Amino acid sequence: MAPVLSPEMVRDTEQVAATELIRKVAHPDMGEFLQPRAGTNIFGVDLKLTPAPAHGEHSKEILKALGHSTGEINRLVQSGIVICR
């Protein structure tokens, strides 16, 4: 049998610390928090996980790629139809 550990106990175990399984990361809106490393690190690939885009973060770029003009995009944003960050 193995013990059931709380999240704090897992974070503080020697194996987790030695493998840097849990890292402190910074998020532009949420501040710092702990996040597990990507599972690919067992294959020697250390992915850097990044935060998901915020709501409306890429609205203008997406609309531009869909063929909308800058003027039309600005009108949609000013009218509140489209949210931009």
Side-chain angles (χ1 to χ4, degrees):
M1 277 212 245
V4 176
L5 303 177
S6 70
E8 294 78 20
M9 293 170 72
V10 169
R11 180 192 64 213
D12 296 334
T13 62
E14 287 182 43
Q15 181 180 3
V16 169
T19 59
E20 297 178 343
L21 184 62
I22 298 176
R23 295 180 176 173
K24 189 179 285 189
V25 295
H27 187 280
D29 296 326
M30 297 176 14
E32 287 190 340
F33 62 95
L34 297 176
Q35 179 180 48
R37 279 175 58 174
T40 57
N41 68 330
I42 64 171
F43 301 110
V45 177
D46 190 18
L47 294 179
K48 300 294 182 203
L49 301 176
T50 59
H55 184 66
E57 186 173 346
H58 301 295
S59 296
K60 287 184 179 181
E61 293 89 344
I62 293 168
L63 290 170
K64 191 81 162 167
L66 291 172
H68 294 278
S69 69
T70 301
E72 186 177 5
I73 293 169
N74 290 335
R75 184 183 61 75
L76 292 170
V77 171
Q78 289 172 357
S79 66
I81 295 172
V82 172
I83 297 173
C84 284
R85 189 152 203 250

